[in-house]
Amino acid sequence: MFDDPIVAVPPVNPDPSLYNEDFSPTTMAQRHWDTTDFATFWITLVISITTYYLAASLVDLGMSWWQGILTVFAGNLVTLVPMVLNAHPGTKYGLPFPVLARASFGILGANLPSLSRAIVACGWFGIQTWIGGSSIYQMLMAVTGGSVAGPVVAWLGISLPELGCFLAFWAVQVWIVIKGMDAIRLLEKYSAPLLIGLSLALLGWAVTAAGGLGPMLSTPSQFGVGMPKEGQFWGVFWPAVTANVGYWATLSLNIPDFTRYARSQKDQVLGQAIGLPLFMALFTFLGLAVTSATVVIYGEAIIDPVQLLGRMQGIVPICLSLFGLMWATLTTNIAANVVAPANAFVNCAPKLLSFETGGILTAVLGLLMMPWKLVSSTHGFVNTWLIGYSALLGPVIGIVMSDYFLIRNRQLDIDSLYTRGDKSIYWYKGGWNTAALWAILIGVLPTLPGFLATIGVLSGLPAIFGQLYDLAWFVGVAVSSVVYCLLMRGAPGAYQAQARAQGGSPSAGGSGSPAPDGASA
């Protein structure tokens, strides 16, 4: 599979309403990402405040440091599988995710998964921007001795100085987005060494202030230092693994947006394998260790790194540390939470929107979501936000991967992806694939009661619904994949196997052979 050649070619006579230069398959001349680029890309994504917050939340939920590392490492090994697999079509055909989704959801139906992904990314963009703005605010507080503090505006939930810092960081990111994809690649590549150094400096401070590794790592959790009771551990482990998968679920969908610039399949596979599980585990150790150290140093677990650094002594250490966190937030936010929604918005109207305008729209929506309210509690962050959207995106990635690997055997018709009407084998019924719609609906249903119970809409449900919700991403992927494959029997895509059986060879860039009108939904 990973020996497949790159066959990216421009479509012939694409429909103007489905095509612009940003959405054209990337040729070899446009591909600059190698193994190092993908590894450093993941390092800069992993070294972020939200990763730290996820690790710290595990301490707050009662895990010891080694249990937290085990949980996050397991979650990222699972995450690596869809990340590498879904990256394959991006590398092979040079397609962004919204165009790839046209094969499974239909030419018009592709807007459903891409916009669902976009809305989640806008929320993440807002959360990261809030954290970056908070870093600026804490630096100003340290330099001015707290004189910039202001009263909280009741309807807003934060003070006007905090809002001003949020808007300043927001504006910087918008400026970077306008510079384009190659600027993003260079930002990620050269930021990795800086972020690794700053992370080690933070760990060094925690070890020194806590009196060594021993005291900080022996901090008792609600389970105690030793092995917790099995029921207690698994009761936290599976939701935490699902939350970790949910953390990267958005990026595993739109990873083709980046791998379409890969020089080969080997580059994307090795780069992601090096950068994701190992460095996620290492940075999780840092987050868990530092959070455990705060119990020793301050007598309480401080899971918000911005608030932690605000308690440090000395203006220079505080400002240097907060600058590091702000930079980590910048590199993560631009790569993970702008590219996908920008492309999703472009997919709605390629003739009218460019990547630049899509990125600006992403930033505006992230601002309007008032992200400081999304991270106001550990329960809301892990159980509602992370697991909640993984319940939605799990079925989407199950459908997209099943379509590409099982239904189409990694063969796509490029021209049909950019064509409206019956000339496209991906037009289905009016541009929508009903098989995908049924699969996503059925894939969400098993975890919906658990989600409603989590947000307080339902109560008194049997325990099985809570357990299904704890495994929301896995349940969604499995159910939607099975349903989709059953409904797609004899539908467009089966022509690939038929053509080979008859001695034909459909072209990756041609119109292929005739296909049935729609899925057997």
Side-chain angles (χ1 to χ4, degrees):
M1 178 177 66
F2 293 110
D3 290 331
D4 285 359
I6 293 175
V7 293
V9 292
V12 178
N13 297 321
D15 190 302
S17 66
L18 300 173
Y19 176 87
N20 63 23
E21 289 300 320
D22 292 328
F23 266 29
S24 180
T26 52
T27 62
M28 288 303 299
Q30 298 172 294
R31 296 174 180 239
H32 307 293
W33 290 56
D34 57 17
T35 300
T36 301
D37 289 318
F38 280 104
T40 54
F41 167 78
W42 273 110
I43 292 171
T44 55
L45 287 180
V46 163
I47 302 178
S48 68
I49 297 181
T50 42
T51 303
Y52 179 100
Y53 191 87
L54 174 61
S57 296
L58 298 180
V59 175
D60 195 44
L61 290 172
M63 284 192 172
S64 61
W65 66 272
W66 65 267
Q67 294 160 1
I69 293 176
L70 174 65
T71 300
V72 171
F73 187 71
N76 278 277
L77 284 180
V78 173
T79 303
L80 184 62
V81 175
M83 202 73 73
V84 168
L85 291 179
N86 207 36
H88 188 280
T91 304
K92 181 175 181 178
Y93 293 99
L95 301 173
F97 170 72
V99 175
L100 173 63
R102 293 173 184 174
S104 52
F105 282 83
I107 299 298
L108 301 181
N111 287 319
L112 176 63
S114 58
L115 287 178
S116 298
R117 162 66 175 102
I119 292 171
V120 171
C122 289
W124 269 120
F125 178 87
I127 289 174
Q128 296 273 15
T129 302
W130 165 245
I131 294 172
S134 296
S135 298
I136 298 175
Y137 178 75
Q138 291 293 341
M139 281 191 284
L140 291 176
M141 289 285 285
V143 172
T144 64
S147 63
V148 298
V152 173
V153 179
W155 65 270
L156 194 59
I158 57 175
S159 66
L160 290 180
E162 288 177 303
L163 177 63
C165 292
F166 171 79
L167 293 175
F169 191 67
W170 178 89
V172 169
Q173 294 175 105
V174 171
W175 179 79
I176 294 174
V177 168
I178 295 174
K179 296 296 182 179
M181 280 297 298
D182 203 49
I184 294 174
R185 178 182 69 88
L186 294 175
L187 173 70
E188 304 299 318
K189 183 172 184 176
Y190 293 110
S191 294
L194 171 65
L195 295 178
I196 292 173
L198 291 171
S199 299
L200 293 175
L202 177 61
L203 179 61
W205 167 84
V207 171
T208 303
L213 277 173
M216 62 191 287
L217 296 183
S218 62
T219 301
S221 66
Q222 70 183 41
F223 298 138
V225 178
M227 174 66 74
K229 294 180 180 179
E230 183 177 356
Q232 289 179 307
F233 176 71
W234 295 116
V236 177
F237 176 81
W238 285 116
V241 167
T242 305
N244 184 83
V245 175
Y247 179 42
W248 296 121
T250 54
L251 196 56
S252 64
L253 267 182
N254 78 285
I255 193 66
D257 292 338
F258 299 95
T259 59
R260 62 192 295 235
Y261 298 99
R263 295 177 179 177
S264 68
Q265 294 288 355
K266 178 183 176 181
D267 286 322
Q268 68 93 354
V269 173
L270 289 180
Q272 294 196 86
I274 293 170
L276 177 56
L278 176 61
F279 280 91
M280 187 71 175
L282 291 174
F283 194 71
T284 296
F285 170 75
L286 182 144
L288 290 163
V290 174
T291 304
S292 297
T294 62
V295 179
V296 178
I297 300 169
Y298 301 110
E300 61 176 323
I302 302 175
I303 64 175
D304 185 342
V306 176
Q307 295 300 321
L308 168 61
L309 296 180
R311 291 198 184 190
M312 288 183 176
Q313 300 297 318
I315 293 179
V316 173
I318 292 174
C319 291
L320 180 62
S321 301
L322 289 170
F323 172 79
L325 288 181
M326 181 180 64
W327 194 266
T329 302
L330 178 68
T331 57
T332 299
N333 213 19
I334 294 296
N337 302 315
V338 174
V339 176
N343 282 335
F345 294 135
V346 171
N347 191 56
C348 294
K351 191 175 181 179
L352 302 176
L353 299 177
S354 65
F355 177 82
E356 177 183 324
T357 54
I360 293 174
L361 180 57
T362 298
V364 171
L365 291 176
L367 186 156
L368 296 177
M369 285 184 176
M370 302 176 73
W372 47 88
K373 295 186 177 181
L374 292 176
V375 292
S376 59
S377 71
T378 296
H379 181 273
F381 179 70
V382 174
N383 292 79
T384 303
W385 176 244
L386 289 179
I387 299 180
Y389 73 65
S390 74
L392 172 64
L393 297 183
V396 173
I397 197 169
I399 293 167
V400 172
M401 289 197 303
S402 296
D403 181 84
Y404 180 70
F405 288 100
L406 301 179
I407 302 299
R408 308 191 188 282
N409 194 29
R410 309 192 307 279
Q411 302 298 316
L412 295 176
D413 181 348
I414 296 297
D415 289 347
S416 283
L417 290 171
Y418 295 91
T419 303
R420 296 174 67 96
D422 294 337
K423 291 183 179 180
S424 170
I425 64 170
Y426 308 123
W427 186 248
Y428 298 101
K429 297 178 180 178
W432 293 76
N433 185 2
T434 54
L437 299 181
W438 279 111
I440 196 172
L441 175 62
I442 297 173
V444 168
L445 284 179
T447 57
L448 182 59
F451 172 74
L452 295 177
T454 299
I455 63 176
V457 175
L458 295 179
S459 61
L461 292 176
I464 183 63
F465 290 107
Q467 295 166 356
L468 287 173
Y469 181 66
D470 288 343
L471 298 170
W473 188 87
F474 302 96
V475 172
V477 169
V479 172
S480 65
S481 297
V482 171
V483 172
Y484 184 76
C485 288
L486 289 174
L487 295 179
M488 284 294 288
R489 289 175 299 174
Y495 79 94
Q496 305 286 359
Q498 294 169 1
R500 282 192 295 273
Q502 297 167 1
S505 179
S507 170
S511 59
S513 304
D517 292 333
S520 55

